Amino acid sequence: MEIYESNGCRGGIQIKKNQWYLLLGSGLVIIVAVGLLFMSANNSAAPNPQASEELVAAVGTHGGEPEAGFNPITGWGYNHEPLVQSTLFKKDSNASLIKDLATDYTVSEDGLTWTVKIRDDVNFHDGVQLTAKDIAFTFNTASKASGQVDLSMLEKAAALDEHTVEFSLNDPQATFINKLAVIGIVPEHAYEETYGQNPIGSGPYTFVQWDKGQQVIFKANPDYYGQKPFFKKLTVLFMDSDAAFAAAKSGQIDVAEIPASYANQNVKGMKMVSLDSIDARGVNLPIHADTGQKTEDGYAIGNNVTSDIAIRKALNIGIDRQALIDGALNGQGNEEFTGVDKLPWGNKEAIFEDGRIEEAKKILNDAGWKDTDGDGIVEKNGLKAEFSLLYPSNAQERQALAVSVSEEAKKLGIKIKVEGKSWDNIDALIHSTPVVFGFGSLDPTDLYLRYYSKSYDPSNYNNVIRYNNSKVDNYLRTAITSFDPNTANRNWQLAAWNGKTGYSEKGDATWLWMATVNYLFIMDEDLDIGTPKIQPHGADIFGNILEWKRTENQANS
Amino acid sequence: MSSAIAMGNKSLFQGLNLRQKTILIISFTSILLFAIVIISLFLAGNALPTNFESKNLAPSLEHPFGTDWMGRDMFVRTLEGLGLSIIIGAFASLISTVLTLILGLFSSLGKTADSFVSWLVDLFLSVPHLLLIILISIGMGGGTKGVIIGVALTHWPSLTRVVRAEIKQLKTQEYLHISKNLGNSKWWIATKHILPHLSPQILLGTILMFPHAILHEASVTFLGFGLSPHEPAIGIILSEAMGYLSAGYWWLAFFPGLSLLIVVLAFDMIGENFGKLMNPKMAHE
């Protein structure tokens, strides 16, 4: 509590101490700014202090530090290499399936019973052998925990013998194989609530220590059954991207993930690596009108502007995606039209030409959206073509995309009010308001969850727009239950556009997809990261960590 | 600080007497602040357009404060941010003054009323100020509205405390007892005898509340409450600038920070010089 002078002759209150601190603080910021300017002027990257077989990285890997620790049950390793744990299968650099713990698998005729045989030479880091029981335990626990991976199709997993595990499904989803490739196996004997803080697995790296909010240290597992990693020690620092960049500049770290706005920076002794991704940024356009209906939590459903297909189509073909990428993403991205363009289940025929402002205007005009009061925004029956677009306030590239889309839409006569909010606030508005989302998964189940009518679930983002198209439903259903990859992919594609209907712009124009974002890393020049895997949502830079090495000539210096 | 200004005055405006100099300083600084508000109102909306061809430019004649990562002119953004700050300051001061007046006069009515007011003041002062602002602004639904209400509703306790002390002192004066004995009502005494003595206190308190409110608005937006990160508020500008220090874009923090400093000091200067006018005894300190 502050003490106020009731000094009569000064007649009032003086600036409080803590406010002077703020002033001093801003002064300090200025000094630091100037200091850094001078530092950057004679930019001399110090010689790398790290021994060559140690790697210090500051990379986000989806959201940075896992809140619940390194526990695959709660989501660690989902979409990215779990390092500590191993998975039954993995995906190679072309996203094809390769075996990891598994040696063989068979699926019953009806698609409901999956039998997986596993290696018999795998030990956990504490020396105990990994058996089918651990696998059954992992999947049963994950299914009950309902973490980030959707395991609703799994009835139960059971160990048939030491090295055979059987999965019983309640729905013959061929995409179940992808679940087997993302969930790291935890040891039944050492699993407890605090497992995430002291994880034991069977992966290429063993866990050493986790300093919350600062760093996590791994060291190479000498008994690993696969290829031995070059880097014997791996330290991952948790820091903001600007701090990571500064640390990389001063030679303290070997790899840093940096925002696209830093793409033009040069650091001596380091190279910039920009990885293409399948991580698409798109906007959900609520397809139902606001009829006063509410969700179970009392949140409004529907949007009277975006529920008009003319608006959705005009936005899709009217905006110039390349302009968004060049501007908002600093050139670090690729155009995206259906959300899955770059994947085998993306439909090339659903891709369209964009930046067609005149055509977009014509679509609006034909649908009755006209600018009658001359304010540059079109109206229809007294309703202005105006809606809010939300972005999570901590995501810089989404902010930039939202602001840029709003400017592109202005050219069409559509007013988009951009608002940054926390996810908690966004969750309450998601059924009635467009949001800049990010999606990118090597599992086509994503499509099923996004567009299949029955996928809608108020507790998550599945089918947030409540899309309901029986044709699309049929294709999605056929796709997810087809064990033949060609049939499956064909049906995934037809769901986007079959010549008559689909979820893509040519059909119902359900979402506004804009771009896939590149992931940008700055790393030591002598670091060789091999052929990186396909980068999903949140990136997976360590996906091929076993291939990483330092190039010969510099490793010995 | 006041001595430095006084010395500056000597060389700047020779031939003017102290009173004239004081008035001159007040009018100059007031014009500066008014200009910022008016310009920011005219600019409203211009700070948002992005221009990715000219991003991260160092200060130049075209962009005196440089540009940011979306190519937005920082001079325009800073002006808009300051305008918002000053408007929030004005709101806060106005509402606080009204609340102070009501509570102050109410406290003069009797012992119970007085202890109620001082209890209310203590209650509000016992919660950390910034926390209270954040709570209120989130409670009001966030956004610009939330920040304005949060800042406006939390600045009255200190001024109320000063005013209450002044009233207590006034109440010991002989003429109040006489007036009471003559049969005048409590309300009549409060408005006719006490209020006129309070007006200088309140006027000064109001002006000096501006810098508080502005700094609180900057702090709240700096911490990321209230406004969206793409909107121009001085706190948001500063917090965004922090992310670019390591890239060497010093102008993003330097000029907006300096401008905030100048605005806050200008209000402080007006308040202090106003005090000299209202209370000539202090002018010779």
Side-chain angles (χ1 to χ4, degrees):
Chain A
M1 195 167 103
E2 284 106 352
I3 294 158
Y4 289 81
E5 290 173 277
S6 54
N7 184 339
C9 64
R10 298 295 289 268
I13 1 162
Q14 297 299 302
I15 291 185
K16 270 183 282 166
K17 232 183 188 167
N18 59 357
Q19 298 187 320
W20 276 115
Y21 287 155
L22 185 86
L23 284 182
L24 281 177
S26 36
L28 213 64
V29 167
I30 293 166
I31 292 167
V32 172
V34 176
L36 281 166
L37 177 74
F38 282 111
M39 262 171 56
S40 57
N42 53 1
N43 171 15
S44 56
N48 198 328
Q50 265 79 47
S52 63
E53 293 194 341
E54 279 184 44
L55 187 74
V56 183
V59 293
T61 320
H62 202 189
E65 192 168 15
E67 229 170 90
F70 307 89
N71 184 352
I73 307 288
T74 55
W76 167 250
Y78 174 55
N79 256 354
H80 64 82
E81 165 62 45
L83 295 169
V84 178
Q85 294 88 4
S86 18
T87 46
L88 287 171
F89 296 91
K90 280 193 188 308
K91 299 272 177 88
D92 68 7
S93 298
N94 301 319
S96 323
L97 203 68
I98 45 174
K99 291 170 185 125
D100 191 25
L101 282 177
T103 54
D104 193 19
Y105 80 102
T106 51
V107 184
S108 68
E109 281 280 306
D110 59 4
L112 290 172
T113 311
W114 294 50
T115 316
V116 182
K117 289 210 172 291
I118 59 159
R119 303 170 71 115
D120 56 4
D121 59 347
V122 180
N123 286 349
F124 283 111
H125 298 148
D126 57 2
V128 181
Q129 199 187 13
L130 185 151
T131 67
K133 271 173 139 178
D134 296 301
I135 293 165
F137 171 80
T138 302
F139 278 87
N140 287 329
T141 316
S143 168
K144 261 181 253 140
S146 57
Q148 283 186 33
V149 188
D150 172 39
L151 280 177
S152 55
M153 77 302 288
L154 178 66
E155 188 76 42
K156 74 174 194 337
L160 294 186
D161 60 45
E162 284 278 281
H163 308 300
T164 315
V165 61
E166 186 183 88
F167 297 95
S168 316
L169 308 192
N170 51 33
D171 189 25
Q173 297 188 4
T175 50
F176 182 65
I177 191 76
N178 294 298
K179 318 296 175 198
L180 301 181
V182 296
I183 298 181
I185 305 304
V186 302
E188 184 172 11
H189 66 274
Y191 188 82
E192 52 190 358
E193 283 219 341
T194 56
Y195 171 82
Q197 325 215 355
N198 199 3
I200 296 172
S202 54
Y205 283 91
T206 55
F207 171 86
V208 179
Q209 74 178 77
W210 177 25
D211 304 318
K212 276 189 192 164
Q214 293 171 36
Q215 59 175 4
V216 58
I217 301 175
F218 304 106
K219 69 175 198 308
N221 172 11
D223 304 322
Y224 186 55
Y225 52 89
Q227 186 192 345
K228 302 274 187 298
F230 172 87
F231 288 103
K232 298 287 177 271
K233 189 178 169 200
L234 182 60
T235 307
V236 182
L237 304 177
F238 305 115
M239 40 170 66
D240 290 338
S241 48
D242 57 298
F245 179 74
K249 228 170 161 180
S250 62
Q252 289 164 22
I253 49 182
D254 305 311
V255 187
E257 185 181 334
I258 54 173
S261 47
Y262 279 53
N264 310 329
Q265 298 280 322
N266 281 315
V267 178
K268 221 170 118 191
M270 298 195 102
K271 61 184 172 188
M272 193 76 72
V273 174
S274 175
L275 300 180
D276 285 350
S277 80
I278 55 159
D279 189 5
R281 293 288 173 272
V283 175
N284 59 313
L285 300 171
I287 55 169
H288 296 290
D290 182 4
T291 54
Q293 203 192 343
K294 299 258 192 282
T295 68
E296 290 79 345
D297 298 314
Y299 303 147
I301 296 175
N303 185 308
N304 291 334
V305 176
T306 61
S307 59
D308 190 327
I309 192 166
I311 295 274
R312 302 202 300 270
K313 287 211 176 216
L315 277 175
N316 259 300
I317 67 163
I319 64 163
D320 180 353
R321 287 168 176 75
Q322 195 55 49
L324 296 184
I325 293 162
D326 292 342
L329 298 179
N330 206 6
Q332 302 297 320
N334 292 296
E335 292 179 300
E336 180 65 46
F337 297 90
T338 64
V340 288
D341 295 356
K342 286 129 192 143
L343 289 158
W345 42 90
N347 188 345
K348 297 278 172 286
E349 276 148 40
I351 294 174
F352 49 93
E353 199 190 321
D354 66 352
R356 296 169 1 215
I357 296 179
E358 288 315 313
E359 266 174 78
K361 278 185 174 162
K362 190 173 174 298
I363 290 177
L364 289 174
N365 198 42
D366 292 349
W369 293 93
K370 293 185 172 93
D371 183 11
T372 46
D373 55 3
D375 62 352
I377 301 160
V378 293
E379 298 95 22
K380 182 181 182 181
N381 305 331
L383 178 71
K384 275 196 183 303
E386 176 182 310
F387 60 88
S388 292
L389 174 60
L390 310 178
Y391 65 87
S393 9
N394 54 1
Q396 200 194 45
E397 94 284 352
R398 298 194 203 191
Q399 176 187 346
L401 278 172
V403 171
S404 305
V405 160
S406 146
E407 283 169 15
E408 289 278 319
K410 213 189 225 168
K411 297 178 192 160
L412 312 175
I414 299 172
K415 184 175 177 188
I416 300 182
K417 284 182 297 179
V418 176
E419 282 177 76
K421 290 195 182 293
S422 69
W423 274 116
D424 286 345
N425 290 333
I426 290 176
D427 286 349
L429 297 165
I430 208 146
H431 304 280
S432 58
T433 317
V435 178
V436 183
F437 270 109
F439 280 106
S441 172
L442 290 170
D443 181 354
T445 315
D446 244 29
L447 277 181
Y448 184 76
L449 296 177
R450 197 178 306 144
Y451 300 113
Y452 188 59
S453 60
K454 294 194 190 77
S455 292
Y456 168 74
D457 178 350
S459 67
N460 54 37
Y461 303 138
N462 294 347
N463 194 9
V464 280
I465 53 171
R466 298 195 170 203
Y467 186 45
N468 191 346
N469 179 330
S470 56
K471 280 262 164 50
V472 173
D473 273 4
N474 273 337
Y475 288 127
L476 291 174
R477 196 55 212 162
T478 314
I480 204 164
T481 52
S482 291
F483 283 82
D484 169 43
N486 292 328
T487 319
N489 283 340
R490 189 65 205 135
N491 278 285
W492 290 122
Q493 290 169 3
L494 289 170
W497 176 239
N498 69 355
K500 287 199 183 77
T501 185
Y503 66 74
S504 70
E505 182 277 327
K506 292 189 174 166
D508 295 320
T510 50
W511 282 61
L512 172 64
W513 293 100
M514 301 177 286
T516 50
V517 296
N518 282 14
Y519 282 91
L520 208 59
F521 299 90
I522 189 165
M523 59 182 74
D524 289 347
E525 240 157 30
D526 64 346
L527 194 63
D528 173 9
I529 62 164
T531 314
K533 296 210 168 165
I534 291 176
Q535 301 297 310
H537 184 53
D540 181 19
I541 181 77
F542 290 142
N544 66 335
I545 183 76
L546 302 182
E547 291 177 22
W548 286 31
K549 58 180 186 290
R550 288 193 193 273
T551 43
E552 283 304 317
N553 52 343
Q554 273 160 325
N556 302 325
S557 65
Chain B
M1 193 182 67
S2 54
S3 68
I5 290 161
M7 272 164 63
N9 292 346
K10 212 169 255 172
S11 51
L12 262 175
F13 324 104
Q14 236 150 24
L16 295 180
N17 69 29
L18 195 57
R19 192 182 167 79
Q20 287 166 322
K21 279 182 214 161
T22 315
I23 292 175
L24 210 63
I25 291 173
I26 293 176
S27 18
F28 269 134
T29 36
S30 309
I31 288 170
L32 174 77
L33 296 172
F34 266 113
I36 291 176
V37 175
I38 289 166
I39 291 172
S40 81
L41 288 179
F42 270 110
L43 285 174
N46 280 357
L48 292 178
T50 56
N51 179 4
F52 286 103
E53 268 112 64
S54 59
K55 59 188 158 200
N56 298 326
L57 294 181
S60 63
L61 278 179
E62 203 184 338
H63 303 288
F65 285 11
T67 61
D68 70 358
W69 62 288
M70 291 210 256
R72 298 171 296 195
D73 185 86
M74 288 311 286
F75 182 64
V76 177
R77 265 174 88 71
T78 305
L79 274 181
E80 277 212 37
L82 288 176
L84 176 73
S85 298
I86 296 175
I87 289 169
I88 288 183
F91 257 107
S93 306
L94 206 74
I95 291 175
S96 302
T97 310
V98 172
L99 283 173
T100 298
L101 254 178
I102 294 170
L103 289 171
L105 291 182
F106 181 68
S107 77
S108 76
L109 293 183
K111 263 226 165 82
T112 334
D114 181 57
S115 35
F116 173 72
V117 169
S118 61
W119 172 79
L120 208 61
V121 168
D122 285 343
L123 180 78
F124 266 77
L125 287 179
S126 63
V127 184
H129 198 155
L130 206 55
L131 212 63
L132 200 61
I133 295 177
I134 292 171
L135 282 178
I136 293 179
S137 71
I138 290 176
M140 298 311 289
T144 321
K145 186 187 78 183
V147 174
I148 291 178
I149 297 176
V151 173
L153 285 186
T154 51
H155 280 86
W156 56 270
S158 42
L159 186 58
T160 305
R161 186 177 264 198
V162 173
V163 166
R164 185 182 147 264
E166 190 75 12
I167 288 171
K168 276 204 141 174
Q169 198 197 346
L170 282 172
K171 280 182 92 176
T172 59
Q173 301 286 324
E174 290 270 315
Y175 67 91
L176 282 190
H177 290 292
I178 296 169
S179 176
K180 199 175 175 185
N181 291 341
L182 284 173
N184 290 323
S185 76
K186 278 182 179 173
W187 185 247
W188 196 90
I189 294 173
T191 48
K192 300 283 162 166
H193 285 315
I194 298 179
L195 191 59
H197 284 276
L198 289 179
S199 47
Q201 298 284 3
I202 286 176
L203 207 60
L204 270 187
T206 308
I207 294 172
L208 286 173
M209 210 179 289
F210 261 86
H212 284 259
I214 289 173
L215 287 181
H216 274 131
E217 182 263 346
S219 317
V220 172
T221 51
F222 182 84
L223 292 174
F225 295 94
L227 302 182
S228 297
H230 67 275
E231 284 173 290
I234 206 78
I236 287 173
I237 292 173
L238 286 177
S239 72
E240 200 174 65
M242 300 248 300
Y244 289 90
L245 291 182
S246 57
Y249 305 152
W250 55 275
W251 56 90
L252 293 178
F254 181 81
F255 291 110
L258 194 69
S259 313
L260 176 66
L261 202 78
I262 291 172
V263 165
V264 168
L265 289 182
F267 271 111
D268 210 41
M269 225 150 97
I270 293 178
E272 250 176 63
N273 285 293
F274 218 70
K276 284 184 197 166
L277 283 185
M278 310 275 292
N279 198 341
K281 265 187 239 163
M282 212 189 88
H284 302 288
E285 267 179 8

